[in-house]
Amino acid sequence: MTMIESGKLAERLNAICDAQPFVTRFMVRALGSGETIGRGADEETPSASTRKTSIMMAALKAAHEGRLDLDEQITYEKRFAEEVASGMFRYLTPGIVISLRDAITGMMVLSDNVCTKMVFERLTLEEVDSYCKSIGMTGTNHRFLIPPLALSPDHSLKAVTTTTARDQVYLLQTILDAQDSREAADRLGCSQALCAYALQTLKNQILRYAIPSRLPFGVLVAHKGGTGKRGRMNAGVVYRDGSPFYIIAAFTDEVPQEMPDGTPGYTVALETIGRLSRACWDEFQS
């Protein structure tokens, strides 16, 4: 992977970040040329729900090894909704039965933390953290199943799961490679069929903020976003004419609750990620 720190696109991306008072860390990779641009790409940063892509892959590895059954039926119990602030299930009537496969889908496409609890109860925190380290995500640290709701905006990094932009690009690249490479699938501990399911699940993402927000309508993005107390984040593969075009992982941090003009900080954080993605869309085509 060639890291490019200068040039027209790098200048444009850095200018987008420099325009804001908060921290933005990112890595982007053009899938045609392999050129990569990064800013703080190896710095530890809160992962928020971008962590769920690695949780999904750890669960699929366990399924591949026969330790989990994706067809297992799980009953939604009221306890699953405790300390949950995302998704739809928390508003539904307990007693609904879904498969583990569907719980993974809910965890990913709506970032539903009831579904995340269902998935994580069948794994251990240590298992998921070790999985990340074993496949090369050395900058990712899973510390909690579900982050406490009472976290303050100035919480320490050790209070949450953390990752790096480089790790997220690496994971997405490996999932992408596994569509055609048995070696890449083996690296993830999964079959190619399960890696195809993982990529399709990322493509099924319903939320369209951040990376897709400034792209032409209908552009396919296989991605997972995150909402943290310190910022917003998003990591995904952007497609053009049906083919993978670029990978981008962007993490905002130390985002103020309110900007000087009164705009909520998270709004500008999401817009910043959208601008980074649009710049890549424009420049990688030139």
Side-chain angles (χ1 to χ4, degrees):
M1 213 182 267
T2 303
M3 183 70 86
I4 306 298
E5 298 294 354
S6 60
K8 181 181 177 184
L9 177 56
E11 290 175 3
R12 183 174 173 185
L13 296 176
N14 280 311
I16 291 169
C17 299
D18 291 340
Q20 303 305 333
F22 49 78
V23 175
T24 301
R25 305 177 177 99
F26 69 82
M27 177 177 275
V28 297
R29 185 184 187 199
L31 293 172
S33 66
E35 293 182 351
T36 301
I37 302 169
R39 176 184 174 115
D42 295 306
E43 294 176 6
E44 188 177 16
T45 190
S47 72
S49 288
T50 62
R51 71 195 177 100
K52 293 174 184 174
T53 305
S54 56
I55 296 171
M56 171 175 67
M57 298 313 298
L60 295 181
K61 178 179 185 287
H64 182 60
E65 295 172 346
R67 295 184 290 113
L68 289 182
D69 179 2
L70 295 179
D71 293 320
E72 177 194 354
Q73 299 297 289
I74 305 171
T75 300
Y76 167 43
E77 303 171 28
K78 186 177 181 180
R79 65 184 177 86
F80 285 131
E82 296 172 1
E83 288 289 304
V84 165
S86 65
M88 180 184 72
F89 249 94
R90 57 193 163 134
Y91 300 122
L92 302 184
T93 305
I96 296 170
V97 179
I98 64 173
S99 68
L100 175 57
R101 179 184 290 101
D102 289 340
I104 292 172
T105 298
M107 175 180 75
M108 297 300 294
V109 305
L110 270 179
S111 209
D112 195 304
N113 272 347
V114 165
C115 292
T116 305
K117 285 187 175 183
M118 291 176 175
V119 176
F120 233 144
E121 278 201 351
R122 283 145 184 85
L123 302 165
T124 66
L125 190 64
E126 294 74 21
E127 178 181 2
V128 176
D129 189 61
S130 296
Y131 173 76
C132 289
K133 305 295 193 299
S134 72
I135 66 171
M137 297 176 69
T138 57
T140 297
N141 299 285
H142 284 265
R143 295 190 175 96
F144 295 93
L145 274 68
I146 303 292
L149 290 182
L151 274 177
S152 64
D154 61 349
H155 66 75
S156 70
L157 288 176
K158 290 188 177 180
V160 293
T161 288
T162 53
T163 190
T164 66
R166 185 185 298 278
D167 274 7
Q168 293 301 318
V169 169
Y170 170 78
L171 179 59
L172 291 168
Q173 179 72 72
T174 309
I175 293 171
L176 200 57
D177 291 345
Q179 307 306 302
D180 303 306
S181 166
R182 177 64 181 273
E183 186 275 332
D186 289 345
R187 200 182 318 145
L188 292 168
C190 298
S191 66
Q192 285 183 267
L194 286 173
C195 290
Y197 163 77
L199 184 60
Q200 184 59 53
T201 301
L202 287 162
K203 290 178 179 177
N204 291 343
Q205 176 60 248
I206 289 173
L207 305 174
R208 298 286 297 176
Y209 54 69
I211 292 172
S213 64
R214 284 182 161 260
L215 300 180
F217 181 78
V219 166
L220 176 62
V221 183
H223 67 119
K224 183 71 195 77
T227 299
K229 289 293 181 72
R230 288 177 30 164
R232 296 294 187 271
M233 42 288 287
N234 202 195
V237 181
V238 176
Y239 285 71
R240 179 170 177 252
D241 298 330
S243 298
F245 187 33
Y246 61 90
I247 300 175
I248 176 171
F251 294 79
T252 62
D253 195 9
E254 301 176 25
V255 177
Q257 294 294 298
E258 185 176 284
M259 303 299 283
D261 66 354
T263 302
Y266 76 84
T267 301
V268 181
L270 291 171
E271 177 68 359
T272 296
I273 297 173
R275 288 179 181 277
L276 292 173
S277 180
R278 181 67 202 209
C280 293
W281 177 268
D282 293 340
E283 298 296 339
F284 287 146
Q285 294 186 67
S286 60

